[in-house]
Amino acid sequence: LFEFEFYDEILFMADPNDFWEEKMAYVSRYAAFTLDNYAQWTTINSRLEVILNKEQAAIDEAEKARQRRKRIKRLWLYILMAVLTAMALALIILNYAAYVGKTLSSKFEVDLYQFGICLLIFAVPYLMLRVVYRLWKMAKKF
C-alpha cells in the first residue's frame, strides 16, 4: 500500500530509506492492536493518544519557534531598510544645495548622493507597499 501511494515522494527523496523508516515507525505504533486482545483496545488507544499528543505538541512547539525566527528575521530586515532609508534621506537633505550648485568636493560624494536617491526610489515605495499590504491583511481578518 505504501509503495504505490507514496511513489512520487520516494522518487524525489535523497534517501528512500528515510521514507520507509518514517512510515514503518508510524505503522509500528499500531502493532499492539491485534484480534486476540480486542478487549484491551481502549487502554491501548488511550496510551497511543498520549504518545501522539506529545508528538503533536513537540511539532507545534517547533513550528512556533520557526515562525518566531521568521518574524525576527523579517523585523531585522525592516529595521535595516528603515535605517538605510533614513540615512539616504538625511544624505539627500544635507547635500541638496551642494549637489544642485555642483559644489560637492569629490566624485565619491556625487555618486553617494545619487545612490541615496536610487535607494529612496526603491526603498520608500517598497516600505509603503509593505505597510499597505499589512494593513490590508489586518482589515481582511475583521
Side-chain angles (χ1 to χ4, degrees):
L1 178 67
F2 280 118
E3 238 175 89
F4 295 110
E5 185 177 348
F6 299 105
Y7 186 72
D8 292 340
E9 289 181 35
I10 296 171
L11 284 177
F12 297 109
M13 292 188 78
D15 187 12
N17 291 331
D18 292 342
F19 174 81
W20 291 113
E21 289 173 9
E22 179 184 332
K23 295 303 175 192
M24 292 310 293
Y26 176 77
V27 173
S28 67
R29 294 178 183 148
Y30 300 96
F33 291 98
T34 63
L35 293 177
D36 298 332
N37 66 351
Y38 65 89
Q40 298 171 353
W41 283 6
T42 55
T43 58
I44 295 170
N45 192 35
S46 63
R47 279 186 278 162
L48 186 60
E49 282 181 14
V50 170
I51 292 169
L52 292 176
N53 288 339
K54 285 181 183 177
E55 288 178 3
Q56 187 62 42
I59 290 170
D60 292 344
E61 192 64 34
E63 179 64 23
K64 284 180 185 177
R66 189 183 70 77
Q67 291 293 333
R68 187 172 49 248
R69 285 191 304 272
K70 187 177 174 182
R71 280 193 309 272
I72 289 171
K73 279 183 181 179
R74 191 179 311 136
L75 178 65
W76 278 109
L77 177 66
Y78 292 154
I79 290 171
L80 176 66
M81 288 189 69
V83 167
L84 287 176
T85 304
M87 287 174 40
L89 189 60
L91 178 73
I92 290 170
I93 290 171
L94 294 175
N95 291 329
Y96 178 74
Y99 181 75
V100 171
K102 298 189 187 294
T103 59
L104 289 174
S105 60
S106 68
K107 174 141 175 50
F108 175 74
E109 288 182 3
V110 172
D111 290 343
L112 191 61
Y113 185 83
Q114 291 173 345
F115 176 73
I117 291 173
C118 290
L119 186 63
L120 281 180
I121 288 172
F122 293 110
V124 170
Y126 175 78
L127 288 173
M128 289 171 45
L129 286 174
R130 291 298 301 179
V131 168
V132 168
Y133 177 70
R134 280 275 195 198
L135 292 173
W136 178 70
K137 279 179 72 174
M138 288 172 54
K140 195 171 141 181
K141 286 182 183 178
F142 296 111

